[in-house]
Amino acid sequence: LGDSFAMIVMPLLVLEATGSVVQMGLITGTIGVGNLLSGIYSGSIIDRVDRRWLMILSDIGRAFLYALIPLGWWLVGSNMALLYAVAAITACLTTTFLITYTAAVPNIVGVDRATEANSRLQATIALAYVVGPMLAGFTSSRFQAVWAMGIVSLSYLVSAMLMFLVRIRPSTDTHPEENDLHSSPLA
């Protein structure tokens, strides 16, 4: 829900702060570049670290970074450099989280139930992308987009706390290259 909420609130905040549709497009483009770049390297990181902790740390990182926006607005006023930095870094953390939870599903429910679990997960995501923008629009119009960023931050803290309840079984699969090495006549 936080992802779909932020997807609307961040450009609205830029529009409120600058009045510029161009800046609004540039912040959205910055998010897209962050997603693209993190998509390139995330897979190799995910395969080497504890997936549960990676998701928790991604959530905590996003909560912290999104909280900097209302804090910064309150302390020093609007700051476009802060918005661009937060947009780029949180996009990387979001993509890493999304790839990680997809990869973790078989370890949570078992390989035999992974298809069913992924179907339910995708349905939940679709629902969040319907409800999130509506809530983001309502909240931004009622309390200003900068304060709606605080709600985004809180959503990631809730997600991180819920991730502590998730148990991910270690993978029993070996990598294909390891199988090839062990079955080689030279080994």
Side-chain angles (χ1 to χ4, degrees), residues 6-15 20-36 80 83-84 87-88 91:
M7 175 182 75
I8 300 300
V9 173
M10 182 68 87
L12 283 176
L13 177 57
V14 171
L15 186 61
S20 170
V21 175
V22 172
Q23 288 290 327
M24 189 174 152
L26 288 172
I27 200 82
T28 304
T30 300
I31 294 166
V33 169
N35 289 330
L36 175 68
M80 290 306 296
L83 288 181
Y84 279 101

Side-chain angles (χ1 to χ4, degrees), residues 17-178:
T18 66
S20 170
V21 175
V22 172
Q23 288 290 327
M24 189 174 152
L26 288 172
I27 200 82
T28 304
T30 300
I31 294 166
V33 169
N35 289 330
L36 175 68
L37 293 176
S38 63
I40 294 170
Y41 68 80
S42 290
S44 60
I45 293 171
I46 292 163
D47 288 339
R48 289 175 173 75
V49 300
D50 182 292
R51 290 175 179 166
R52 181 172 158 263
W53 277 105
L54 184 57
M55 289 186 283
I56 291 169
L57 292 175
S58 292
D59 277 342
I60 291 170
R62 292 184 291 178
F64 172 76
L65 290 165
Y66 281 126
L68 288 177
I69 294 172
L71 182 64
W73 246 248
W74 181 61
L75 293 174
V76 294
S78 65
N79 184 334
M80 290 306 296
L82 173 64
L83 288 181
Y84 279 101
V86 168
I89 297 168
T90 56
C92 292
L93 292 172
T94 296
T95 299
T96 300
F97 182 92
L98 294 174
I99 294 171
T100 304
Y101 81 64
T102 301
V105 167
N107 300 100
I108 296 171
V109 300
V111 176
D112 56 326
R113 295 185 56 213
T115 301
E116 177 188 351
N118 275 322
S119 295
R120 289 181 180 182
L121 189 60
Q122 292 306 314
T124 304
I125 292 168
L127 180 62
Y129 273 88
V130 169
V131 174
M134 289 189 296
L135 291 174
F138 172 77
T139 306
S140 295
S141 69
R142 183 97 172 149
F143 303 107
Q144 294 182 327
V146 68
W147 303 114
M149 293 306 296
I151 294 171
V152 172
S153 177
L154 289 174
S155 77
Y156 290 115
L157 283 178
V158 169
S159 178
M161 287 187 281
L162 292 173
M163 284 305 303
F164 276 106
L165 302 175
V166 174
R167 296 293 168 236
I168 299 177
R169 293 174 262 187
S171 178
T172 56
D173 299 337
T174 57
H175 295 282
E177 60 273 6
E178 291 173 5

